[in-house]
């Protein structure tokens, strides 16, 4: 970026802090069950015969995990992911979400993953979802690498399989200025590069959502223009489930 763009990005960032109003964490349960036949009421036919038939999913991270952008948790990212996984695998999925608006990977590392452990949580698949707030907070690549590596190591103690997601797409947000979005895009590309390296070292799948096509922006974004809508989360979930299949997790 040239000096003028850097100044403009700083101005636009200050404006966004004062004028962009983020949707709050919605009400609703952050645990639930999803069945392969999602349109049917759970019955003796759809319930698992034993606990061995249940796929246990834990999702940990930022506002995506907290469901920001939708009116209730049932429309949010973790619940949608569980339903899609149940459909793709033909199995009952029991899910739990540990998310916080504004969470960085450091908060995931020091607050949210310890909460999972304290709750006795144990998963077949644990999904780590953070990065956007680290970008917005201007945390360094070195800090990101240290926190991500430690969070992945901790998550491995809580699950048979760990999946790490990239940041969201704040660089495409319709409520942010162009110079700021350019600056975010550069930082997210660097964060993605670091994340790929860490996840390769740790032998865990890394799903890069940050630059994936989102389709119609009017449909993808929620009312705040910063978080995905229910349909936006569905787009993200589609990419994640496809990646899980490629990695033999479903």
């Amino acid at each position: 970026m040239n000096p003028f763009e850097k100044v403009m990005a700083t101005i636009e960032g200050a404006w966004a802090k004062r004028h962009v109003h983020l949707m709050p964490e919605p009400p609703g349960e952050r645990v639930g069950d999803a069945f392969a036949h999602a349109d049917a009421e759970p019955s003796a036919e759809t319930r698992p015969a034993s606990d061995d038939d249940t796929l246990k999913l834990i999702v940990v991270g930022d506002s995506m995990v907290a469901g920001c952008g939708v009116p209730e948790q049932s429309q949010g990212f973790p619940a949608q992911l569980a339903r899609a996984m149940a459909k793709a695998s033909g199995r009952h999925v029991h899910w739990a979400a540990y998310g916080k608006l504004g969470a960085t990977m450091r908060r995931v590392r020091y607050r949210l993953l310890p909460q999972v452990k304290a709750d006795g949580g144990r998963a077949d698949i644990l999904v780590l979802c953070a990065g956007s707030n680290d970008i917005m907070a201007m945390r360094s690549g070195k800090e990101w690498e240290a926190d991500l590596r430690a969070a992945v190591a901790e998550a491995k103690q809580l699950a048979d399989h760990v999946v790490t997601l990239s940041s969201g797409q704040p660089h495409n947000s319709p409520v942010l200025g162009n110079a700021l979005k350019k600056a975010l895009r550069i930082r997210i590309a660097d964060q993605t590069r670091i994340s790929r390296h860490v996840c390769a070292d740790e032998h865990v799948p890394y799903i890069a959502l940050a630059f994936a096509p989102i389709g119609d922006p009017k449909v993808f974004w929620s009312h705040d223009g910063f978080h995905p809508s229910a349909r936006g989360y569905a787009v993200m979930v589609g990419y994640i489930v496809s990646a899980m299949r490629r990695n033999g997790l479903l």
Side-chain angles (χ1 to χ4, degrees):
M1 296 181 70
N2 61 47
F4 176 75
E5 288 175 321
K6 290 180 180 179
V7 170
M8 286 301 301
T10 300
I11 293 172
E12 290 172 0
W15 181 92
K17 286 181 179 180
R18 298 190 61 177
H19 297 282
V20 175
H21 302 291
L22 302 180
M23 293 180 69
E25 299 179 11
E29 294 294 327
R30 299 196 184 194
V31 297
D33 295 275
F35 296 86
H37 303 287
D39 295 333
E41 196 67 27
S43 63
E45 289 74 30
T46 58
R47 290 185 183 281
S50 70
D51 193 55
D52 292 338
D53 297 320
T54 299
L55 185 63
K56 297 178 182 177
L57 169 69
I58 295 177
V59 190
V60 186
D62 57 20
S63 55
M64 280 184 61
V65 181
C68 297
V70 298
E72 58 183 39
Q73 291 291 336
S74 63
Q75 299 177 35
F77 163 59
Q80 288 204 48
L81 177 59
R83 291 194 293 269
M85 289 172 62
K87 184 177 180 180
S89 66
R91 298 175 65 186
H92 164 221
V93 177
H94 178 74
W95 63 273
Y98 293 77
K100 185 66 178 176
L101 175 63
T104 60
M105 189 58 78
R106 175 154 293 192
R107 187 181 184 99
V108 169
R109 173 185 179 183
Y110 286 112
R111 300 288 293 277
L112 298 179
L113 285 171
Q115 185 179 347
V116 174
K117 186 175 182 179
D119 289 347
R122 177 74 196 179
D124 294 299
I125 300 175
L126 189 152
V127 177
L128 291 174
C129 174
S132 297
N133 295 304
D134 296 81
I135 294 294
M136 301 299 288
M138 301 292 288
R139 302 193 71 240
S140 71
K142 185 175 181 180
E143 290 173 313
W144 169 256
E145 180 174 356
D147 286 333
L148 175 60
R149 195 177 293 277
V152 168
E154 180 65 24
K156 283 182 173 181
Q157 303 303 310
L158 301 170
D160 295 334
H161 301 282
V162 175
V163 174
T164 301
L165 307 183
S166 72
S167 74
Q169 298 202 7
H171 56 289
N172 285 326
S173 168
V175 297
L176 300 183
N178 288 333
L180 176 57
K181 289 194 287 187
K182 182 176 181 179
L184 294 176
R185 188 176 296 111
I186 293 169
R187 289 181 56 79
I188 289 172
D190 187 54
Q191 184 189 78
T192 299
R193 177 187 58 78
I194 294 169
S195 300
R196 288 187 187 279
H197 174 72
V198 169
C199 290
D201 277 354
E202 297 294 334
H203 305 289
V204 301
Y206 177 69
I207 304 176
L209 301 173
F211 299 102
I214 63 173
D216 185 352
K218 294 180 181 178
V219 173
F220 181 86
W221 296 104
S222 67
H223 295 303
D224 67 9
F226 194 82
H227 294 104
S229 64
R231 292 179 67 179
Y233 282 129
V235 171
M236 296 294 193
V237 163
Y239 291 127
I240 295 166
V241 169
S242 293
M244 285 182 172
R245 280 174 158 170
R246 290 196 301 273
N247 283 277
L249 300 181
L250 296 176

